[in-house]
Structure formats: C-alpha cells, structure tokens
Amino acid sequence: MDEAQQRLKQAGLSKFETSFKFDPSKRDPIVLDQSPAAGSAAEAETTVSVVLSFPGIAVPDLRGKSLLAAAQTLSNNNLALGEAKSQPTDAKPEQTVIDQNPAPGQAVDKGTPITLTVATKPTNPIIPWNPKLFELMTKQKQIFKVMPRGIEPAEQ
C-alpha cells in the first residue's frame, strides 16, 4: 500500500481510495486492481481507486457439524472457538451447530474466535396428571402457571 501511494504521488495524483478483497493466497497485501488503469491518462484531481488483497482466513461453514467437529475444523483453520451458545430446538440433533458468527466465507484474521449457536434438547416441565388437582383448579377458577418443578397459582 505504501508503495502504491508513493507511485501515485510521483505521478501527480494525490487523491485515492482503498478497498480490500479477500485473497488467502497472498501473504502480504498487494494491489489487485486499480481504476483508472495503469498507464491511463488522468488529471491531477482524479481519485484513484485501489483494491488491495486481504490475506485473511475464510471462515468455514460449521452449520450442521457437531460441536466437536466444528471445534476441530476451527483449529485446523487457525481459528479459535469463541462462545458456544445453546438454543433449545427439536429441528436439529443435540450438539449440532445451527448458527455462527462471523458468517461462513467472511475473511478474518488468524486466531479469530468464532461464536457458535448449538442445538440443545428443549426442556418441558413434566406435570403428572392429577384429577384432584384439576378439580381443585376448576372449583377455584384459579389461574396457575407452569414452573420447572410443578405448578403454582399465578397472580391475578
């Protein structure tokens, strides 16, 4: 980038804008493209757009993998396992990655932690059926709320 800026100044061009394009094959940022093209005539006030390579790592798609397989894939790609959040669902098997951040394909630096959302089994409270309890609830016209350890009267 420094070399590109120096060459632009030598050519009498002082306005430029820079953007980046992910390219893991490059070890250091290099100029991939520019506008106007090299050798073109340009006035001194022309803004030159320079596209530099970004030598990052593409985040792999971990969705659908087990948490263990996802962690291994991250390690193999020089990335880190960040926070693993749980989300109750019946749609995917337990311990399966259902979402990730950053998204698949995004370019990141080596060692970047990737946050995963992992499927867990939904927990529904089990309330044994008790006809006497039902009768009592009906007689009292009481509203009850379901709690993890059973039911209790709700405030009205």
Side-chain angles (χ1 to χ4, degrees):
M1 179 61 195
D2 292 336
E3 185 181 345
Q5 288 176 346
Q6 189 177 34
R7 286 187 182 187
L8 287 170
K9 286 179 183 177
Q10 288 172 350
L13 300 167
S14 60
K15 292 183 176 182
F16 51 89
E17 57 186 29
T18 308
S19 61
F20 295 89
K21 181 178 179 183
F22 174 66
D23 189 344
S25 67
K26 309 291 189 252
R27 299 189 88 203
D28 296 312
I30 63 166
V31 176
L32 298 173
D33 195 15
Q34 70 182 56
S35 176
S40 299
E43 295 182 19
E45 295 300 313
T46 300
T47 299
V48 177
S49 297
V50 178
V51 179
L52 294 173
S53 64
F54 176 76
I57 297 170
V59 176
D61 190 351
L62 304 169
R63 296 169 297 181
K65 292 186 179 223
S66 71
L67 180 57
L68 182 60
Q72 186 62 52
T73 300
L74 289 172
S75 177
N76 293 344
N77 284 279
N78 295 313
L79 298 169
L81 175 60
E83 183 182 1
K85 302 175 183 179
S86 64
Q87 181 174 326
T89 181
D90 282 327
K92 298 286 183 183
E94 272 191 277
Q95 299 299 306
T96 300
V97 176
I98 54 178
D99 198 15
Q100 67 184 79
N101 187 21
Q106 188 170 336
V108 296
D109 291 326
K110 180 180 178 180
T112 298
I114 309 301
T115 300
L116 303 178
T117 303
V118 180
T120 57
K121 188 176 183 177
T123 55
N124 295 325
I126 299 172
I127 302 171
W129 178 250
N130 184 328
K132 290 184 180 184
L133 179 61
F134 180 74
E135 184 181 325
L136 176 65
M137 290 168 60
T138 306
K139 281 182 184 176
Q140 292 183 355
K141 296 182 181 175
Q142 177 75 39
I143 298 172
F144 289 80
K145 60 183 175 182
V146 177
M147 302 300 289
R149 297 183 186 255
I151 62 171
E152 64 181 46
E155 293 182 26
Q156 295 185 13

